[in-house]
Amino acid sequence: MRVLVVEDDADLRFAVVAALRGSGLAVDEAADLPAADEALFATDYDCAVFDRMVPSGDALDYVRKLRGNGGTVPVLFLTARDTVTDRVEGFACGGDDYLAKPGQADPPSRKRAGARDAPRPVRPLRATVPLRPAAAAG
């Protein structure tokens, strides 16, 4: 199976490509839509994974045009744009699946969750018994 990954963030692209290759897939990569267009023209892919927002534009518009021109490659959006509206738009333009990037949760929610899960300070116990043995009588 041959997959095209379109992601402008080099570190994230490297991680996604490495994970897919580690699963035994043949993977090509592109950092922008013109490079993706060239790759899709030259190669028959089994799947294309698109970040929605790349410097050369919104992949949503690209996929809409691709579908309008008869392109049938299955498309997975892997993106930080994760509202319900974003997902609906992704499917409406011809996407086959839509996943939010890991770790893209709303930062205030993440802070609240982190505060909830943080270790709580432990109050020292008050000694109710003497810490030193009493002097022996006698």
Side-chain angles (χ1 to χ4, degrees):
M1 182 173 210
R2 185 166 215 70
V3 178
L4 174 65
V5 174
V6 184
E7 169 63 60
D8 61 310
D9 181 305
D11 292 335
L12 185 55
R13 186 174 63 246
F14 177 82
V16 171
V17 167
L20 292 172
R21 285 182 179 151
S23 297
L25 301 175
V27 184
D28 294 332
E29 52 191 285
D32 58 29
L33 296 175
D37 191 54
E38 187 174 313
L40 285 165
F41 180 77
T43 306
D44 187 25
Y45 289 99
D46 297 295
C47 180
V49 179
F50 282 91
D51 178 12
R52 278 270 318 257
M53 299 307 297
V54 292
S56 51
D58 188 342
L60 196 84
D61 297 328
Y62 177 81
V63 171
R64 185 177 289 115
K65 290 175 188 172
L66 179 72
R67 294 291 189 240
N69 291 330
T72 60
V73 64
V75 169
L76 164 71
F77 287 108
L78 179 61
T79 178
R81 298 194 57 173
D82 64 350
T83 67
V84 172
T85 300
D86 291 328
R87 292 171 191 265
V88 168
E89 289 173 346
F91 287 115
C93 82
D96 297 286
D97 207 345
Y98 197 106
L99 298 173
K101 289 180 182 175
Q104 297 295 325
D106 152 49
S109 297
R110 293 177 59 82
K111 286 181 185 173
R112 284 191 296 277
R116 180 192 65 232
D117 296 336
R120 307 241 187 319
V122 177
R123 298 173 82 199
L125 297 174
R126 285 184 33 193
T128 56
V129 293
L131 297 178
R132 291 187 206 152

